[in-house]
Amino acid sequence: MDAQEQDSFRDFVETRSPALLKTAVLLSGGDRHAGEDLLQNALVKAAGRWRRIDEPEAYVRRILYRQQVSRWRLKWPRRELAVAEPPESAAAGDGTSAAELRIVLRGALAKLTTRQRTVLVLRYFEDLPEAEVAQILGCSVGTVRSTTHRSLARLRSLAPELARLDQPDREPRPVSSPDFSPMEV
């Protein structure tokens, strides 16, 4: 890699690392250290092919997804954090703050399988269509749909306090305005 390519790679890493790290942390279940490892490995792979890469961010993201898929296919189980007592859950209707909801969501995401978490991150955080998620993960669109459905159901059961985010606080407004009557047309 010549000096110009090194500068280009350095600039890319400096500007895009925060966004890529968020994705990597989400893919690794909220574990920042595992996310940093995932991103570092992806950047090392990208550095070796830097001069041939047309779209660096898309290339690095694809490496992140594929590395995560490889991790869930390993034969040994992932490490789990053992605690002496289960964490206290928030009481219903106690006005949980946004920060508490993020903590609850991160904990619930960590309890999902790697495959479930990856599908949710790709579909909702990265906002990718089902067909593209299926292509990235090497499975069918039906598998993505069913995994998404099961993952969301499990997420709702693990963190019922997140269910209130799905339901609006007020009644929906009527579609027609008082000045317009369908009969006038």
Side-chain angles (χ1 to χ4, degrees):
M1 190 183 291
D2 65 8
Q4 184 181 3
E5 290 171 347
Q6 284 181 351
D7 290 341
S8 170
F9 182 73
R10 237 184 241 118
D11 290 342
F12 171 77
V13 171
E14 286 176 10
T15 58
R16 298 308 307 153
S17 282
L20 292 169
L21 181 59
K22 285 180 184 178
T23 301
V25 168
L26 285 171
L27 286 171
S28 59
D31 183 354
R32 184 170 176 88
H33 298 292
E36 289 171 350
D37 290 344
L38 190 66
L39 178 59
Q40 183 176 7
N41 290 337
L43 291 173
V44 167
K45 288 182 179 184
R49 297 182 169 264
W50 189 250
R51 66 175 60 138
R52 289 176 270 176
I53 299 174
D54 293 331
E55 297 179 36
E57 184 162 356
Y59 188 83
V60 172
R61 286 183 185 275
R62 182 155 295 214
I63 293 172
L64 287 172
Y65 307 145
R66 289 187 175 168
Q67 283 183 331
Q68 191 62 23
V69 168
S70 296
R71 283 186 180 182
W72 87 49
R73 290 183 177 154
L74 293 175
K75 291 184 181 181
W76 52 87
R78 62 187 166 109
R79 289 178 277 166
E80 294 185 16
L81 178 63
V83 294
E85 295 181 24
E88 295 179 18
S89 61
D94 69 348
T96 308
S97 71
E100 290 171 336
L101 287 175
R102 282 195 305 271
I103 292 169
V104 169
L105 179 60
R106 179 175 285 164
L109 281 173
K111 292 177 184 175
L112 295 177
T113 66
T114 309
R115 181 179 201 114
Q116 289 174 327
R117 190 172 47 249
T118 303
V119 168
L120 290 180
V121 168
L122 291 174
R123 285 286 292 131
Y124 298 107
F125 182 74
E126 294 291 327
D127 198 28
L128 297 177
E130 292 168 338
E132 193 170 341
V133 173
Q135 181 185 10
I136 289 170
L137 299 179
C139 62
S140 69
V141 174
T143 301
V144 171
R145 288 179 182 159
S146 64
T147 303
T148 302
H149 176 73
R150 279 185 265 122
S151 303
L152 290 173
R154 181 138 189 254
L155 197 60
R156 287 183 191 108
S157 71
L158 290 171
E161 53 268 47
L162 296 175
R164 72 178 179 89
L165 298 176
D166 291 341
Q167 302 165 356
D169 293 337
R170 59 181 178 203
E171 293 294 318
R173 290 185 285 176
V175 175
S176 62
S177 67
D179 298 338
F180 174 75
S181 170
M183 301 308 282
E184 293 176 357
V185 176

